[in-house]
Amino acid sequence: MTPEALAQEIGRAADGKRRFIAALAGPPGAGKSTLGAALVHALGRGARLVPMDGFHFDDRVLAARGLSHRKGAPETFDGWGFLNLMERLKAGGEVAIPIFDREMELSRAAADVVTDEDRILIVEGNYLLLDEDPWRRLRPFFDLTMFLDVPEAELERRLLGRWEARADGAVWVASNDLPNVRRVLHGSVQADRIIRF
């Protein structure tokens, strides 16, 4: 299925609803951000992307908690804060959202704004369907759940490419990214739609 065809399906499901929230989950390296942006583009006016990555704890917080070596794992996100965001998005009104800046490796607060004109929200993130607290509490906010299914070997290849400029890139992927991949693959609940591209 192409992103355009998937966007048409989402548009039909959202027809007549004041706000429709679709979750796009999947492991690191699956292509969630790319697909989410393509869906928003295909849906056009009234659609907005809401990334979970803006809820990364800052590096200083991770260091203080002894979690620097696990950056990207579920416990390195403000999951309860993200849950509060979903409550506000479901209720409507103007809501500022944080965006994670990959070049700066930090979250920028209020870097985007969701308004009532944004009727269809594509929420993307690794842990949207994770069957652990607080993540499991997100499901009632989603009108549709989608999961990007990519073979683990391909995810490893992509993640090694992502970190190739880093001297310890291969070690980082093996010790951090792949455990996160497996946590998502084996610890997420079934989505409404499984997507394979």
Side-chain angles (χ1 to χ4, degrees), residues 2-31:
T2 66
E4 292 74 20
L6 184 56
Q8 288 179 1
E9 181 179 316
I10 292 169
R12 286 193 296 271
D15 190 40
K17 295 195 167 139
R18 179 184 63 81
R19 171 151 287 165
F20 185 89
I21 302 179
L24 178 58

Side-chain angles (χ1 to χ4, degrees), residues 1 6 24 35 146-150 193-197:
M1 174 177 280
L6 184 56
L24 178 58
L35 177 57
M146 303 173 285
F147 189 88
L148 260 177
D149 184 27
V150 179
R193 291 293 312 270
I194 305 297
I195 302 164
R196 299 177 179 92
F197 283 110

Side-chain angles (χ1 to χ4, degrees), residues 12 15 31 41-42 46-47 52 59 75 105 112 124-125 134 144 162 191:
R12 286 193 296 271
D15 190 40
H41 178 75
M52 185 198 84
D59 286 349
E75 55 272 18
E105 275 296 302
D112 200 1
E124 66 92 358
L144 173 70
R162 178 183 290 179

